[in-house]
Amino acid sequence: GESVGLHLPTLSVQEGDNSIINCAYSNSASDYFIWYKQESGKGPQFIIDIRSNMDKRQGQRVTVLLNKTVKHLSLQIAATQPGDSAVYFCAENRSGGFKTIFGAGTRLFVKA
Amino acid sequence: GAGVSQSPRYKVTKRGQDVALRCDPISGHVSLYWYRQALGQGPEFLTYFNYEAQQDKSGLPNDRFSAERPEGSISTLTIQRTEQRDSAMYRCASSLAPGNTIYFGEGSWLTVV
């Protein structure tokens, strides 16, 4: 079946360090990718997106990298802060499609 | 409204009862989605609307689940004859247009006892 990010790994980082969260996607037809942050008790919140005609996109403290050759997506968070602690989901969408497919997520813990 | 609004936030119902979950999307958003999210999992697609038209309902688990969006704005997800396995967080999301970034509401937490 369709799948993005098959498990829920945990990443623990020290406050101030950079975080890298990885995601593998399965469908080579996907051309739009999104990262969401979900804090406890809240809905997923959009962080950053990237289309398949790009391999890197930067936002405020966040960078998304896309490697279409190996179908890999990563989210880099610079100078990680305690407020970054959450579950991060990668999601994919296909050209002209509407069904955004989510992975199981990665839980990020930030140690003070 | 400013964000996607869902009600009720929490619902406890007895097995066999029907429940209706409501979603009010972001004003002006054409597309509306229903997802279900289990603990520790990513949202699972249920169904999708463009305006009032239900474009895809392939993710609805069975025929006890239905959804409507009669005027192209507010949507209702109805679960008939609820079962314990229906207990989950039900999330609504909307996007300005099909394929655009989707924005989620806070969800409706359903518990079937």
Side-chain angles (χ1 to χ4, degrees):
Chain A
E2 300 164 333
S3 63
V4 178
L6 299 175
H7 55 283
L8 181 58
T10 299
L11 176 65
S12 184
V13 299
Q14 197 69 38
E15 181 180 0
D17 287 353
N18 296 335
S19 302
I20 300 177
I21 300 171
N22 296 304
C23 175
Y25 65 93
S26 60
N27 195 315
S28 56
S30 295
D31 65 351
Y32 177 53
F33 304 88
I34 317 105
W35 280 100
Y36 285 86
K37 172 186 180 183
Q38 186 170 22
E39 297 175 284
S40 181
K42 296 187 177 181
Q45 179 183 16
F46 171 85
I47 302 173
I48 191 168
D49 58 1
I50 189 168
R51 297 204 177 267
S52 59
N53 60 350
M54 302 173 68
D55 52 22
K56 180 178 180 179
R57 190 166 188 221
Q58 288 185 295
Q60 187 176 16
R61 283 202 306 118
V62 294
T63 301
V64 54
L65 299 177
L66 175 63
N67 185 330
K68 295 181 288 295
T69 303
V70 296
K71 293 187 284 188
H72 184 268
L73 193 68
S74 68
L75 176 70
Q76 300 179 359
I77 305 173
T80 313
Q81 302 169 358
D84 296 326
S85 294
V87 177
Y88 290 81
F89 294 101
C90 63
E92 64 175 309
N93 204 320
R94 283 144 219 180
S95 178
F98 52 83
K99 187 186 294 186
T100 299
I101 304 298
F102 287 79
T106 296
R107 185 175 298 279
L108 175 66
F109 287 105
V110 181
K111 297 176 288 186
Chain B
V4 178
S5 178
Q6 291 187 247
S7 62
R9 291 292 311 278
Y10 303 94
K11 176 71 176 179
V12 180
T13 190
K14 291 186 177 180
R15 187 177 54 182
Q17 297 293 308
D18 298 350
V19 296
L21 307 177
R22 173 191 163 113
C23 173
D24 193 352
I26 294 172
S27 179
H29 277 200
V30 166
S31 304
L32 184 146
Y33 311 78
W34 283 99
Y35 283 81
R36 181 167 67 176
Q37 187 174 20
L39 285 173
Q41 300 283 327
E44 173 194 9
F45 173 84
L46 296 178
T47 187
Y48 153 82
F49 292 83
N50 256 353
Y51 297 102
E52 73 282 357
Q54 190 171 22
Q55 302 288 346
D56 188 304
K57 54 182 181 179
S58 63
L60 295 177
N62 51 60
D63 60 8
R64 294 187 297 106
F65 288 72
S66 62
E68 63 174 10
R69 193 187 185 197
E71 298 179 2
S73 179
I74 292 169
S75 177
T76 302
L77 176 70
T78 301
I79 309 172
Q80 296 178 309
R81 305 180 302 282
T82 52
E83 301 177 4
Q84 286 186 320
R85 59 177 172 157
D86 299 333
S87 297
M89 173 69 80
Y90 290 85
R91 296 199 184 276
C92 179
S94 68
S95 66
L96 187 60
N100 283 24
T101 303
I102 61 176
Y103 296 90
F104 284 87
E106 294 300 300
S108 291
W109 183 255
L110 174 66
T111 302
V112 182
V113 297

